Amino acid sequence: MQAILGLRSVLRSTSVRNICTGLTRLSTATYEGDGKTSVTILNKEADVGLLINSYSQVGFRLSNDMVVLGPMALFPRTVLSWNVESHEDINEQSLSLFAALEPKVDILIVGIGDHPMTPAFGKKVISFMAKHKINVEVLNTEQACATFNFLNAEGRVVAAALIPPVTMRINEDDMMRRQISKSKTFEVEDY
């Protein structure tokens, strides 16, 4: 019973923290002087463009609540399905979309799922994109999503070619969220 009450207090404090992380504050007792710190959640701002909120083995969830199943080609304001099955299918033909774009992208982020990148694969992708004067970064999907979000929020002309990972890593945050969601199913509201 103590554990449920403890989780309930954590949930209440968490929901208050989430409400207060926007640009407006609910409390009138906040500091209003010089040096005030404000927090902006990038995924809530419409003018930033498309950002990746999450990914799974099935696909991706974007900041506009769109779910993309399978691999995708992502641009600051557009998303397309990318016709590759795995990193082995990435070749000059599958990358030709990014070379044909005008204006040219500053950098292409390629997320190859959770497969290790071999030097031969990296060299093949980099040399093809170098012919078209496009910088390229080949990363695992987790790092590629974060890199795309960062560059897109900076206003760079960036594109991403992303393949969902085959396996997912579970971290402490995932385990805590699961425990909290399980405890919510047993909560009873007092009337």
Side-chain angles (χ1 to χ4, degrees), residues 66-122:
M66 179 185 289
V67 175
V68 179
L69 300 176
M72 70 174 175
L74 183 62
F75 305 94
R77 302 211 181 273
T78 307
V79 62
L80 301 169
S81 180
W82 192 33
N83 195 19
V84 296
E85 291 294 322
S86 72
H87 74 288
E88 295 165 349
D89 296 332
I90 299 174
N91 54 31
E92 291 185 6
Q93 183 180 2
S94 65
L95 294 172
S96 63
L97 163 70
F98 304 101
L101 293 174
E102 281 298 328
K104 294 280 186 211
V105 294
D106 290 337
I107 186 166
L108 171 64
I109 309 298
V110 179
I112 59 170
D114 52 3
H115 300 285
M117 185 185 72
T118 62
F121 175 77

Side-chain angles (χ1 to χ4, degrees), residues 1 21 26 28 42 47 52 66 97 100 109 117 129 138 150 161 172 180:
M1 186 58 147
T21 56
L26 297 178
T28 58
L42 290 175
D47 60 341
I52 304 161
M66 179 185 289
L97 163 70
I109 309 298
M117 185 185 72
M129 297 312 287
V138 181
F150 179 78
E172 291 177 12
I180 290 171

Side-chain angles (χ1 to χ4, degrees), residues 4-5 9 20 22-23 48 56 66-67 69 78 93 97 104 106 112 123 125 135 137 143 160 173 177 179 183:
I4 292 174
L5 292 175
S9 67
C20 293
L23 294 176
V48 172
S56 69
M66 179 185 289
V67 175
L69 300 176
T78 307
Q93 183 180 2
L97 163 70
K104 294 280 186 211
D106 290 337
I112 59 170
K123 185 176 181 181
V125 171
N135 296 316
E137 190 73 38
Q143 293 170 333
D173 185 48
R177 286 177 195 254
Q179 287 177 342
S183 70

Side-chain angles (χ1 to χ4, degrees), residues 28-47:
T28 58
T30 60
Y31 175 70
E32 295 295 333
D34 291 335
K36 179 179 176 185
T37 302
S38 64
V39 175
T40 303
I41 300 173
L42 290 175
N43 287 13
K44 302 288 185 198
E45 290 189 10
D47 60 341

Side-chain angles (χ1 to χ4, degrees), residues 4-6 18 47 54-55 73 79 84 107 122 151-152 158 170-171:
I4 292 174
L5 292 175
N18 288 340
D47 60 341
S54 62
Y55 64 91
V79 62
V84 296
I107 186 166
L151 293 172
N152 194 22
V158 63
I170 297 176
N171 60 28

